[in-house]
Amino acid sequence: MTRLALAAALILLALPAAAQPRPAPPPADIAGAADNPLVGRYDGAVQRLREQLAFGEMRIVTAPIAPGGRPPGSPRATEANSTAVAGRITRMRYEGPDGRSPLEVVRNWQQRMEQGGFRTVFSCEARSCGGNAVDLWAAVTGALPGNAGIASNHGSVVYAAMRLERAEGDVWVSLLSVSGPRDRPQTLIDVVEARPMETDRIVFVDAAAMDRAIAATGRVALYGIAFDTDRADPRPDSRPTIEEIAKYLRANPGVSVVVTGHTDSQGGFDHNVDLSRRRAAAIVTALTRDHGIAAARLTPFGAGMAAPVAANDNEQGRAQNRRVEIVRR
């Protein structure tokens, strides 16, 4: 070693520890991190996001998504390529470990969950997910309001949708993994534990609450409009909720809506579709006749029993399914 090199080495050794470069600390779990016991965690991964809704609705992608043909911002998850599920929703995002591919990460999770009784409903990699996987990435990350924080590296997308059937309610899980910064895999996991929504928690939805719900999800479910059995005219105690719909529409003059009637599964299918349509039409009539809302802004529609939010095999579930929804058009 030359005298110059030896002097440089001695200077480096003499530097205080604080002046010497330190390796970046390893990433750590967020405060309040917790794994879902049915899903577990890939060894060495860290949890960077955890959100939970006591009751919510989302669509789990269960088939390839046809590429292109949709205006920007339009829904990617539709009835043709996804399954609507409702219940307690937990969204988690994991990062790492370094040196593992999204495919290896998802395959390990699939193996672990299949051992626990889950079955894989649909899985895909990159282009086999539909087009160049942009639509699938958008459908999964956008299934809940808010930013999932996962990289938009569509070429590395690996996805799996899994279902556990059980007496107390099915569990659906979607796993979306991509290569993130520095080739560290990022995995977004949505867990939906199907269960009835708690009822009688909100007795009245006012115009402001309708505005917030429609702004967030494009729709609001109303339970304050009641009908006698097999009758289409709203009962008198429905008037306050109808007045709040009118207030919302007057405060948002550029908004048009679909007034959608929903029934439980009691009775024939066609009869319930017709009944729900007549109920929706009666609400439209009340809004135009009594509150001066232009008929052109209102579209009555009857969904009958076709879009339940709970099981119809008990009264609690049937009560949740009997509702009116205001859907932004």
Side-chain angles (χ1 to χ4, degrees):
M1 178 181 292
T2 67
R3 291 182 178 180
L4 182 61
L6 179 60
L10 290 173
I11 290 172
L12 283 175
L13 289 174
L15 286 174
Q20 297 185 26
R22 295 176 178 270
D29 281 353
I30 56 169
D35 301 325
N36 185 287
L38 295 173
V39 176
R41 177 189 302 221
Y42 192 102
D43 185 31
V46 296
Q47 190 177 101
R48 302 302 300 154
L49 172 75
R50 189 178 191 275
E51 301 172 337
Q52 192 168 71
L53 294 172
F55 184 87
E57 297 175 324
M58 64 180 294
R59 301 196 73 92
I60 300 285
V61 176
T62 51
I65 298 179
R70 296 184 181 85
S74 63
R76 267 63 169 180
T78 66
E79 292 184 5
N81 57 40
S82 62
T83 300
V85 293
R88 184 170 67 184
I89 300 178
T90 306
R91 166 163 278 192
M92 298 165 289
R93 189 183 79 247
Y94 291 92
E95 296 182 2
D98 293 345
R100 303 296 183 180
S101 69
L103 179 61
E104 182 179 3
V105 168
V106 171
R107 290 280 176 85
N108 268 269
W109 249 304
Q110 282 182 268
Q111 181 186 44
R112 191 266 191 188
M113 292 169 62
E114 286 174 350
Q115 291 171 350
F118 281 84
R119 65 180 178 88
T120 299
V121 177
F122 171 63
S123 63
C124 63
E125 302 168 35
R127 291 189 178 276
S128 68
C129 297
N132 60 2
V134 174
D135 284 340
L136 181 132
W137 179 92
V140 176
T141 59
L144 295 173
N147 182 7
I150 189 170
S152 55
N153 191 345
H154 310 127
S156 67
V157 163
V158 179
Y159 175 78
M162 309 191 72
R163 182 182 184 182
L164 173 65
E165 298 183 40
R166 56 181 192 174
E168 63 269 38
D170 292 357
V171 180
W172 285 83
V173 175
S174 76
L175 303 118
L176 177 74
S177 191
V178 301
S179 291
R182 301 178 299 279
D183 290 328
R184 174 179 294 160
Q186 293 185 342
T187 307
L188 183 67
I189 301 178
D190 290 320
V191 182
V192 186
E193 301 171 66
R195 61 179 60 189
M197 178 181 66
E198 292 184 43
T199 58
D200 300 324
R201 304 293 291 181
I202 300 176
V203 295
F204 185 69
V205 178
D206 63 14
M210 292 180 195
D211 197 4
R212 289 192 297 271
I214 292 172
T217 65
R219 53 177 284 277
V220 61
L222 303 174
Y223 292 90
I225 301 177
F227 304 87
D228 290 327
T229 301
D230 214 27
R231 301 294 297 272
D233 294 326
R235 293 204 313 245
D237 57 349
S238 304
R239 187 175 297 112
T241 297
I242 294 175
E243 289 175 351
E244 293 299 315
I245 299 173
K247 287 181 184 178
Y248 164 76
L249 291 169
R250 283 195 293 268
N252 296 273
V255 172
S256 297
V257 299
V258 179
V259 180
T260 308
H262 294 265
T263 69
D264 59 29
S265 64
Q266 305 289 91
F269 181 85
D270 292 338
H271 175 78
N272 278 324
V273 169
D274 179 66
L275 176 63
S276 62
R277 180 194 58 78
R278 290 189 288 117
R279 287 176 171 176
I283 296 168
V284 167
T285 297
L287 289 168
T288 55
R289 180 192 63 210
D290 302 335
H291 300 282
I293 304 300
R297 298 176 61 193
L298 306 167
T299 303
F301 178 75
M305 65 178 75
V309 294
N312 276 297
D313 54 5
N314 58 71
E315 180 51 35
Q316 182 183 20
R318 289 191 290 270
Q320 294 173 54
N321 293 330
R322 296 191 296 267
R323 68 199 189 278
V324 172
E325 292 193 3
I326 305 300
V327 181
R328 184 167 182 161
R329 195 171 67 194

